[in-house]
Amino acid sequence: MECVVLAAGEGKRMRPLTARRPKVMLPVANRPMMEHLVLAARDAGITEFVFVVGYWEREVRGHFGNGSRFGIHISYAPQRQQIGTADALRSAQDLVTGPFLAMNGDMILTGADIARMIRTPAPCMSTSTTDHPGDFGVVLVENGLVMALEEKSKQLKSNIINAGAYLFTQEIFDLLARVGLSSRGELELTDALNILIGEHRLRAVPLSTWMDLGYPWDLLDANAALMTSLVSENHGTVEEGVHLSGPVVIGKDTVVKSGTCIEGPCIIGNNCRIGPHAYIRGATSIGDDCHIGHCTELKNSIVMTGTKIPHFNYVGDSVIGSGCNFGAGTKIANLRHDHAPVRVGGKDTRHTKFGAVIGDDVKFGINCSVNVGSVIGSNAAFAPGSYIKGNFGENSTIQ
């Protein structure tokens, strides 16, 4: 069995986090989201992979290489223009030789579900359920067959959705050749699926576990979920006077200084400096080469590589890019006074606690205040004492 992973897109809904990396390389529990998916497929017995790459493809190639360190073999199929999922899958046509699994790279599945899916006769499509099906392709299923598939339907006919994993034979490429541009100006896999649905030949495979990572707040949900099975490891140095509770992973050459309290689940990368007197609360992952300093508190957040949050800072329920620097006393709010769900750019996060989305290399002066739901583009810079609310584009400056 071969596996095609669609990983060419930018992930515009994840901006500004995708300014310098494709969506599939955003970290969850200190691994790129696509690595979790690929390892699940490997655990299901698949060792031959084709990655369809495009936007910032060097990030994917640089991390995964030929796959040998993961115990798999990877080939790459470039999609030079991202003009739809049908075109993306067609890019892999010359690299697959028989029946194959195809998956969107921006989701989390289990090895058990993948193993069950590849035992199902092709063609088949994975399905899941959600309380907001209007954001996805809504599916009608009867007697195990997909009877209808409608993308982002206005009139919802079920809470069953297309979960983005498929088992195909080589026949799919003949169907893809018949697909024309959609109303959105794209070549869409859905149009090929509808041919199979019209012939009553597309089976539905319900998944037991599925996490779609469409928006930054979805990263936090997945981050917390993937750390529920965390087992403590310490590859660094923990000074006397540090209190650890729950599962905590500490990377190589990381130093946790005296007076620090860490409540797991928590993952800290390599070559980090934590404390003294830092407080890190559950469901937080910290990338390599970070500094979390004196009297700084982090909670339920993702902090990417090389970010410094050094003195008297608070970060809650937020996603922080790489290479950022927080001036002393800078804090991110994460709760409205009326406890209503936080909105980001007009989008309801369905989270009563959500802080901010901060791109790469953002610089804060001392005593900055960031309000709930703020989005800050890469390379932005803020003067001391700035009040920050709403959306700020790349290279924004408040003096």
Side-chain angles (χ1 to χ4, degrees), residues 281-365:
R281 296 163 61 187
T284 294
S285 63
I286 300 168
D288 296 342
D289 304 309
C290 289
H291 177 202
I292 311 300
H294 176 62
C295 291
T296 288
E297 180 178 348
L298 304 183
K299 173 245 179 187
N300 188 39
S301 293
I302 295 172
V303 180
M304 299 186 200
T305 300
T307 283
K308 317 299 180 187
I309 312 178
H311 315 287
F312 298 99
N313 305 115
Y314 176 75
V315 174
D317 305 278
S318 298
V319 184
I320 313 297
S322 62
C324 296
N325 190 77
F326 283 59
T330 292
K331 297 174 176 64
I332 299 177
N334 63 336
L335 179 68
R336 291 168 52 106
H337 285 165
D338 60 4
H339 290 220
V342 175
R343 301 185 73 87
V344 175
K347 180 69 175 177
D348 185 358
T349 67
R350 300 184 299 277
H351 289 62
T352 56
K353 288 192 175 182
F354 186 75
V357 182
I358 297 175
D360 300 325
D361 294 316
V362 174
K363 305 294 187 289
F364 296 98

Coordinates of all heavy atoms in Angstrom, one line a residue, residues 281-365:
R281 N 1.9 26.1 32.8 CA 0.7 25.3 33.1 C 0.4 24.3 32.0 O 1.0 24.4 30.9 CB -0.5 26.2 33.4 CG -0.2 27.0 34.7 CD -1.2 28.2 34.8 NE -2.6 27.8 34.8 CZ -3.6 28.7 34.7 NH1 -3.3 30.0 34.6 NH2 -4.8 28.3 34.8
G282 N -0.6 23.4 32.2 CA -0.8 22.3 31.3 C -1.1 22.6 29.9 O -1.6 23.7 29.5
A283 N -0.9 21.6 29.0 CA -1.1 21.7 27.6 C -0.3 22.8 26.9 O -0.8 23.4 26.0 CB -2.6 21.9 27.3
T284 N 0.9 23.0 27.4 CA 1.8 24.0 26.7 C 3.0 23.2 26.1 O 3.5 22.3 26.7 CB 2.3 25.0 27.8 OG1 1.3 25.8 28.3 CG2 3.4 25.9 27.2
S285 N 3.3 23.6 24.8 CA 4.4 23.1 24.2 C 5.3 24.2 23.8 O 4.9 25.3 23.3 CB 4.1 22.2 22.9 OG 3.4 23.0 22.0
I286 N 6.6 24.0 24.0 CA 7.6 25.1 23.8 C 8.7 24.5 22.9 O 9.3 23.4 23.1 CB 8.3 25.5 25.2 CG1 7.2 26.1 26.1 CG2 9.4 26.5 24.9 CD1 7.7 26.2 27.5
G287 N 9.0 25.2 21.8 CA 9.9 24.7 20.8 C 11.4 24.8 21.3 O 11.7 25.2 22.4
D288 N 12.3 24.4 20.4 CA 13.7 24.5 20.7 C 14.2 25.9 20.8 O 13.6 26.9 20.3 CB 14.5 23.8 19.6 CG 14.2 22.4 19.4 OD1 13.7 21.7 20.3 OD2 14.6 21.8 18.3
D289 N 15.3 26.1 21.6 CA 16.0 27.4 21.7 C 15.1 28.5 22.2 O 15.3 29.7 21.8 CB 16.6 27.8 20.3 CG 17.4 26.7 19.7 OD1 18.4 26.3 20.4 OD2 17.2 26.3 18.6
C290 N 14.2 28.2 23.1 CA 13.3 29.3 23.7 C 13.8 29.7 25.1 O 14.5 28.9 25.8 CB 11.9 28.8 23.8 SG 11.1 28.6 22.2
H291 N 13.5 30.9 25.5 CA 13.7 31.3 26.9 C 12.4 31.7 27.5 O 11.8 32.7 27.0 CB 14.7 32.5 26.8 CG 15.0 33.1 28.2 ND1 15.5 34.3 28.4 CD2 14.9 32.5 29.4 CE1 15.7 34.6 29.7 NE2 15.3 33.5 30.3
I292 N 12.1 31.1 28.6 CA 10.9 31.4 29.4 C 11.4 31.8 30.7 O 11.9 31.0 31.5 CB 9.9 30.2 29.5 CG1 9.6 29.6 28.1 CG2 8.6 30.7 30.2 CD1 9.0 30.6 27.1
G293 N 11.4 33.1 31.1 CA 12.2 33.6 32.2 C 11.5 33.9 33.5 O 10.4 33.3 33.8
H294 N 12.1 34.8 34.3 CA 11.7 35.0 35.6 C 10.3 35.5 35.7 O 9.8 36.5 35.1 CB 12.7 36.1 36.2 CG 12.3 36.5 37.6 ND1 12.4 35.6 38.7 CD2 12.0 37.7 38.1 CE1 12.1 36.3 39.8 NE2 11.8 37.6 39.5
C295 N 9.5 34.8 36.6 CA 8.1 35.2 36.9 C 7.2 35.3 35.6 O 6.3 36.1 35.6 CB 8.0 36.5 37.7 SG 8.7 36.3 39.3
T296 N 7.5 34.5 34.6 CA 6.7 34.4 33.4 C 5.7 33.2 33.6 O 6.1 32.1 34.0 CB 7.5 34.2 32.2 OG1 8.2 35.5 31.9 CG2 6.7 33.8 31.0
E297 N 4.5 33.4 33.2 CA 3.5 32.3 33.2 C 3.0 32.0 31.8 O 2.6 32.9 31.1 CB 2.3 32.7 34.1 CG 1.2 31.6 34.3 CD 0.1 32.0 35.2 OE1 0.3 33.0 36.0 OE2 -0.9 31.3 35.2
L298 N 3.0 30.7 31.5 CA 2.4 30.2 30.2 C 1.3 29.2 30.6 O 1.4 28.4 31.5 CB 3.5 29.6 29.4 CG 4.7 30.3 29.0 CD1 5.6 29.5 28.0 CD2 4.4 31.6 28.3
K299 N 0.3 29.2 29.7 CA -0.8 28.3 30.0 C -1.5 27.9 28.6 O -1.8 28.8 27.8 CB -1.9 28.9 30.9 CG -3.1 28.1 31.1 CD -4.3 28.9 30.5 CE -5.6 28.1 30.7 NZ -6.7 28.8 30.0
N300 N -1.6 26.6 28.4 CA -2.3 26.1 27.2 C -1.9 26.9 25.9 O -2.8 27.4 25.2 CB -3.9 26.2 27.4 CG -4.6 25.5 26.3 OD1 -4.3 24.5 25.8 ND2 -5.7 26.2 25.9
S301 N -0.7 26.9 25.6 CA -0.2 27.7 24.5 C 0.9 26.9 23.7 O 1.4 25.9 24.2 CB 0.4 29.0 25.0 OG -0.5 29.8 25.5
I302 N 1.1 27.3 22.5 CA 2.1 26.8 21.6 C 3.1 27.9 21.4 O 2.8 29.0 20.9 CB 1.6 26.3 20.3 CG1 0.7 25.1 20.5 CG2 2.7 26.0 19.3 CD1 -0.1 24.7 19.2
V303 N 4.4 27.7 21.7 CA 5.5 28.6 21.6 C 6.5 28.0 20.6 O 7.0 27.0 20.9 CB 6.1 29.0 22.9 CG1 7.2 30.0 22.7 CG2 5.1 29.6 23.9
M304 N 6.7 28.7 19.5 CA 7.6 28.1 18.5 C 9.0 28.4 18.7 O 9.4 29.2 19.5 CB 7.1 28.5 17.1 CG 5.7 28.0 16.8 SD 5.2 28.4 15.1 CE 3.4 28.3 15.2
T305 N 9.9 27.8 17.9 CA 11.4 27.9 18.1 C 11.9 29.3 18.2 O 11.5 30.2 17.4 CB 12.0 27.2 16.8 OG1 11.5 25.8 16.8 CG2 13.5 27.2 17.0
G306 N 12.8 29.4 19.1 CA 13.6 30.6 19.2 C 12.9 31.8 19.8 O 13.4 33.0 19.8
T307 N 11.8 31.7 20.4 CA 11.0 32.8 21.0 C 11.5 33.0 22.5 O 11.7 32.1 23.2 CB 9.5 32.5 20.9 OG1 9.1 32.8 19.6 CG2 8.7 33.4 21.8
K308 N 11.6 34.3 22.8 CA 12.0 34.7 24.2 C 10.8 35.4 24.9 O 10.3 36.4 24.4 CB 13.2 35.7 24.1 CG 14.3 35.3 23.1 CD 14.9 33.9 23.4 CE 16.0 33.6 22.3 NZ 16.5 32.2 22.4
I309 N 10.4 34.8 26.0 CA 9.4 35.4 26.9 C 10.0 35.5 28.3 O 9.7 34.7 29.2 CB 8.1 34.6 26.9 CG1 7.7 34.2 25.4 CG2 7.0 35.3 27.5 CD1 6.5 33.3 25.3
P310 N 10.8 36.6 28.5 CA 11.8 36.5 29.6 C 11.5 37.0 31.0 O 12.1 36.5 31.9 CB 13.0 37.2 29.0 CG 12.4 38.2 28.1 CD 11.1 37.6 27.6
H311 N 10.6 38.0 31.1 CA 10.4 38.6 32.4 C 9.0 39.1 32.6 O 8.4 39.9 31.9 CB 11.3 39.9 32.6 CG 12.7 39.7 32.1 ND1 13.6 39.0 32.8 CD2 13.3 40.2 31.0 CE1 14.8 39.1 32.1 NE2 14.6 39.8 31.1
F312 N 8.3 38.6 33.7 CA 7.1 39.1 34.2 C 6.0 39.1 33.0 O 5.2 40.1 32.9 CB 7.2 40.5 34.8 CG 8.1 40.5 35.9 CD1 9.5 40.9 35.8 CD2 7.7 40.1 37.2 CE1 10.3 40.9 36.9 CE2 8.5 40.2 38.3 CZ 9.9 40.6 38.1
N313 N 6.0 38.1 32.2 CA 5.0 38.0 31.1 C 3.9 37.0 31.4 O 4.1 36.1 32.2 CB 5.7 37.6 29.8 CG 6.9 38.4 29.5 OD1 8.0 38.0 29.5 ND2 6.6 39.7 29.2
Y314 N 2.7 37.2 30.8 CA 1.7 36.2 30.9 C 1.2 35.9 29.4 O 0.9 36.8 28.7 CB 0.5 36.7 31.7 CG -0.7 35.6 31.6 CD1 -0.6 34.5 32.4 CD2 -1.8 35.8 30.8 CE1 -1.6 33.5 32.3 CE2 -2.8 34.9 30.8 CZ -2.7 33.7 31.5 OH -3.7 32.7 31.4
V315 N 1.2 34.6 29.1 CA 0.7 34.1 27.8 C -0.3 33.0 28.1 O 0.1 32.0 28.6 CB 1.8 33.7 26.9 CG1 1.2 33.1 25.6 CG2 2.7 34.8 26.6
G316 N -1.6 33.2 27.7 CA -2.6 32.1 27.9 C -3.3 31.8 26.6 O -3.7 32.8 25.9
D317 N -3.5 30.6 26.3 CA -4.4 30.1 25.2 C -4.0 30.8 23.9 O -4.9 31.3 23.2 CB -5.8 30.4 25.6 CG -6.2 29.8 26.9 OD1 -6.5 28.5 26.9 OD2 -6.2 30.5 27.9
S318 N -2.7 30.8 23.6 CA -2.2 31.6 22.4 C -1.3 30.7 21.6 O -0.7 29.7 22.1 CB -1.5 32.9 22.9 OG -2.4 33.7 23.6
V319 N -1.1 31.1 20.3 CA -0.2 30.5 19.4 C 0.9 31.6 19.1 O 0.5 32.6 18.5 CB -0.8 30.0 18.2 CG1 0.2 29.2 17.3 CG2 -2.0 29.0 18.5
I320 N 2.1 31.3 19.4 CA 3.2 32.3 19.3 C 4.2 31.7 18.2 O 4.7 30.6 18.4 CB 3.9 32.5 20.6 CG1 2.9 32.8 21.7 CG2 4.9 33.7 20.4 CD1 2.1 34.0 21.6
G321 N 4.5 32.5 17.2 CA 5.4 32.1 16.2 C 6.9 32.0 16.7 O 7.2 32.2 17.8
S322 N 7.8 31.8 15.7 CA 9.2 31.7 16.1 C 9.9 33.0 16.1 O 9.5 34.0 15.4 CB 9.9 30.7 15.0 OG 9.8 31.3 13.7
G323 N 11.0 33.1 16.9 CA 11.8 34.3 16.9 C 11.2 35.5 17.5 O 11.7 36.6 17.3
C324 N 10.2 35.4 18.3 CA 9.5 36.6 18.9 C 10.3 37.0 20.2 O 11.0 36.1 20.8 CB 8.1 36.3 19.2 SG 7.0 35.9 17.8
N325 N 10.1 38.2 20.6 CA 10.7 38.7 21.8 C 9.7 39.5 22.6 O 9.1 40.5 22.0 CB 11.9 39.5 21.6 CG 12.7 39.8 22.8 OD1 13.4 38.9 23.4 ND2 12.5 41.0 23.4
F326 N 9.4 39.2 23.8 CA 8.4 39.9 24.6 C 9.2 40.8 25.6 O 10.0 40.3 26.4 CB 7.6 38.9 25.4 CG 6.5 38.2 24.6 CD1 6.8 37.4 23.5 CD2 5.2 38.3 25.0 CE1 5.8 36.8 22.8 CE2 4.2 37.7 24.3 CZ 4.5 36.9 23.1
G327 N 8.9 42.1 25.6 CA 9.4 42.9 26.6 C 8.9 42.6 28.0 O 7.8 42.1 28.1
A328 N 9.6 43.0 29.0 CA 9.2 42.7 30.4 C 7.8 43.3 30.6 O 7.5 44.5 30.2 CB 10.2 43.3 31.4
G329 N 7.0 42.5 31.3 CA 5.6 43.0 31.6 C 4.6 42.9 30.5 O 3.4 43.3 30.7
T330 N 4.9 42.4 29.4 CA 4.0 42.2 28.3 C 3.0 41.0 28.6 O 3.5 39.9 29.0 CB 4.7 42.0 27.0 OG1 5.3 43.2 26.6 CG2 3.7 41.6 25.9
K331 N 1.8 41.2 28.4 CA 0.8 40.2 28.7 C -0.3 40.1 27.6 O -0.6 41.1 27.0 CB 0.1 40.6 30.1 CG 1.1 40.6 31.3 CD 0.4 41.1 32.5 CE 1.4 41.0 33.7 NZ 2.6 41.8 33.5
I332 N -0.8 38.9 27.5 CA -1.9 38.6 26.5 C -3.1 38.2 27.3 O -3.1 37.2 28.1 CB -1.4 37.4 25.6 CG1 -0.2 37.8 24.8 CG2 -2.6 37.1 24.6 CD1 0.3 36.7 23.9
A333 N -4.2 39.0 27.1 CA -5.5 38.6 27.7 C -6.1 37.4 27.0 O -5.9 37.2 25.8 CB -6.4 39.8 27.6
N334 N -6.9 36.6 27.7 CA -7.4 35.4 27.1 C -8.9 35.2 27.5 O -9.4 34.1 27.2 CB -6.6 34.2 27.4 CG -6.6 33.9 28.9 OD1 -6.8 34.8 29.7 ND2 -6.3 32.7 29.3
L335 N -9.6 36.2 28.1 CA -10.9 36.0 28.6 C -11.7 37.3 28.5 O -11.2 38.3 29.0 CB -10.9 35.4 30.0 CG -12.3 35.2 30.6 CD1 -13.0 34.0 29.9 CD2 -12.2 34.9 32.1
R336 N -12.9 37.3 27.9 CA -13.7 38.4 27.8 C -14.4 38.6 29.2 O -14.7 37.6 29.9 CB -14.8 38.3 26.7 CG -14.2 38.4 25.3 CD -15.3 38.0 24.3 NE -16.5 38.7 24.5 CZ -17.0 39.6 23.7 NH1 -16.3 40.0 22.7 NH2 -18.1 40.2 24.0
H337 N -14.8 39.8 29.6 CA -15.5 40.0 30.8 C -16.9 39.3 30.8 O -17.3 38.9 31.9 CB -15.7 41.5 31.1 CG -14.4 42.2 31.6 ND1 -14.2 43.6 31.6 CD2 -13.2 41.7 32.0 CE1 -13.0 43.8 32.0 NE2 -12.4 42.7 32.3
D338 N -17.5 39.3 29.7 CA -18.8 38.7 29.6 C -18.7 37.2 29.4 O -19.8 36.5 29.2 CB -19.7 39.3 28.5 CG -19.1 39.2 27.1 OD1 -18.0 38.6 27.0 OD2 -19.7 39.8 26.2
H339 N -17.5 36.6 29.3 CA -17.3 35.2 29.1 C -17.9 34.7 27.8 O -18.1 33.5 27.6 CB -17.9 34.3 30.3 CG -17.1 34.5 31.5 ND1 -16.8 33.5 32.4 CD2 -16.5 35.6 32.1 CE1 -16.0 33.9 33.4 NE2 -15.9 35.2 33.2
A340 N -18.1 35.6 26.8 CA -18.6 35.1 25.5 C -17.5 34.5 24.7 O -16.3 34.8 25.0 CB -19.2 36.4 24.8
P341 N -17.8 33.7 23.7 CA -16.7 33.1 22.9 C -15.9 34.2 22.2 O -16.5 35.2 21.8 CB -17.5 32.3 21.9 CG -18.8 31.9 22.5 CD -19.1 33.1 23.4
V342 N -14.6 34.0 22.2 CA -13.7 35.0 21.5 C -13.8 34.9 20.0 O -13.9 33.8 19.5 CB -12.3 34.8 22.0 CG1 -11.3 35.7 21.2 CG2 -12.1 34.9 23.5
R343 N -13.9 36.1 19.4 CA -13.9 36.1 17.9 C -12.6 36.6 17.4 O -12.0 37.5 18.0 CB -15.0 37.0 17.4 CG -16.4 36.6 17.9 CD -17.5 37.4 17.3 NE -17.7 37.1 15.9 CZ -18.5 36.2 15.4 NH1 -19.2 35.4 16.2 NH2 -18.6 36.0 14.1
V344 N -12.1 36.0 16.3 CA -10.9 36.4 15.7 C -11.2 36.8 14.2 O -11.6 36.0 13.5 CB -9.8 35.3 15.7 CG1 -8.6 35.7 14.9 CG2 -9.5 34.9 17.1
G345 N -11.0 38.1 13.9 CA -11.3 38.6 12.6 C -12.7 38.3 12.2 O -13.0 38.0 11.0
G346 N -13.6 38.4 13.1 CA -15.0 38.1 12.8 C -15.4 36.7 12.9 O -16.6 36.3 12.8
K347 N -14.4 35.7 13.0 CA -14.7 34.3 13.1 C -14.9 33.9 14.5 O -14.0 34.2 15.4 CB -13.6 33.5 12.4 CG -13.7 32.0 12.4 CD -14.9 31.6 11.5 CE -14.9 30.0 11.5 NZ -16.1 29.6 10.6
D348 N -16.0 33.1 14.8 CA -16.2 32.6 16.2 C -15.3 31.4 16.4 O -15.4 30.4 15.7 CB -17.7 32.2 16.3 CG -18.1 31.8 17.7 OD1 -17.2 31.7 18.6 OD2 -19.3 31.4 17.9
T349 N -14.4 31.6 17.4 CA -13.5 30.5 17.8 C -14.2 29.3 18.5 O -13.7 28.3 18.7 CB -12.4 31.0 18.6 OG1 -12.8 31.4 19.9 CG2 -11.6 32.1 17.9
R350 N -15.4 29.6 19.1 CA -16.1 28.7 19.9 C -15.3 28.4 21.2 O -15.5 27.4 21.8 CB -16.5 27.4 19.2 CG -17.4 27.6 18.0 CD -17.8 26.3 17.3 NE -16.7 25.5 16.9 CZ -16.1 25.7 15.7 NH1 -16.5 26.7 14.9 NH2 -15.0 25.0 15.3
H351 N -14.4 29.3 21.5 CA -13.6 29.1 22.8 C -13.9 30.4 23.6 O -13.7 31.5 23.2 CB -12.1 29.1 22.4 CG -11.7 27.8 21.8 ND1 -12.1 27.4 20.6 CD2 -10.8 26.9 22.2 CE1 -11.6 26.2 20.2 NE2 -10.7 25.9 21.2
T352 N -14.3 30.1 24.9 CA -14.4 31.3 25.8 C -13.1 31.8 26.2 O -12.9 32.9 26.7 CB -15.3 30.9 27.0 OG1 -14.7 29.8 27.7 CG2 -16.7 30.6 26.6
K353 N -12.0 30.9 26.2 CA -10.7 31.4 26.5 C -9.8 31.2 25.2 O -9.6 30.1 24.8 CB -10.1 30.6 27.6 CG -10.7 30.9 29.0 CD -9.9 30.3 30.1 CE -10.5 30.8 31.5 NZ -9.7 30.3 32.6
F354 N -9.4 32.4 24.7 CA -8.5 32.4 23.6 C -7.7 33.7 23.6 O -8.4 34.8 23.7 CB -9.2 32.2 22.2 CG -8.2 32.0 21.1 CD1 -7.5 30.9 20.9 CD2 -7.9 33.1 20.2 CE1 -6.5 30.7 19.9 CE2 -7.0 33.0 19.2 CZ -6.3 31.8 19.0
G355 N -6.4 33.6 23.4 CA -5.6 34.8 23.5 C -5.4 35.5 22.2 O -6.2 36.1 21.6
A356 N -4.2 35.2 21.6 CA -3.7 35.9 20.4 C -3.0 34.9 19.5 O -2.6 33.8 19.9 CB -2.8 37.1 20.7
V357 N -2.9 35.3 18.2 CA -2.2 34.6 17.2 C -1.0 35.5 16.8 O -1.3 36.6 16.3 CB -3.0 34.2 16.0 CG1 -2.2 33.4 15.0 CG2 -4.2 33.4 16.4
I358 N 0.2 35.1 17.0 CA 1.3 36.0 16.8 C 2.3 35.4 15.8 O 2.7 34.2 16.0 CB 2.0 36.3 18.1 CG1 1.0 37.1 19.0 CG2 3.3 37.2 17.9 CD1 1.6 37.4 20.4
G359 N 2.6 36.1 14.7 CA 3.5 35.5 13.7 C 5.0 35.5 14.1 O 5.3 35.6 15.3
D360 N 5.9 35.3 13.2 CA 7.3 35.2 13.5 C 7.9 36.5 13.7 O 7.6 37.5 13.1 CB 8.0 34.4 12.4 CG 7.4 33.0 12.1 OD1 7.0 32.4 13.1 OD2 7.4 32.6 11.0
D361 N 9.0 36.5 14.5 CA 9.9 37.7 14.7 C 9.1 39.0 15.1 O 9.4 40.1 14.7 CB 10.7 38.0 13.4 CG 11.6 36.8 13.2 OD1 12.3 36.4 14.1 OD2 11.7 36.4 12.0
V362 N 8.1 38.8 15.9 CA 7.4 40.0 16.5 C 8.1 40.5 17.7 O 8.5 39.7 18.6 CB 5.9 39.6 16.8 CG1 5.2 40.8 17.5 CG2 5.2 39.2 15.5
K363 N 8.2 41.8 17.8 CA 8.9 42.4 19.0 C 8.0 43.3 19.8 O 7.3 44.2 19.2 CB 10.1 43.3 18.5 CG 11.1 42.5 17.6 CD 11.8 41.4 18.3 CE 12.9 40.8 17.5 NZ 12.4 39.9 16.4
F364 N 7.9 43.0 21.1 CA 7.1 43.8 22.0 C 8.0 44.6 22.9 O 9.0 44.0 23.5 CB 6.2 42.9 22.8 CG 5.2 42.2 22.1 CD1 5.4 40.8 21.7 CD2 4.0 42.8 21.7 CE1 4.5 40.1 21.0 CE2 3.0 42.0 21.0 CZ 3.3 40.7 20.6
G365 N 7.8 45.9 23.1 CA 8.4 46.7 24.1 C 7.9 46.3 25.5 O 7.0 45.5 25.6

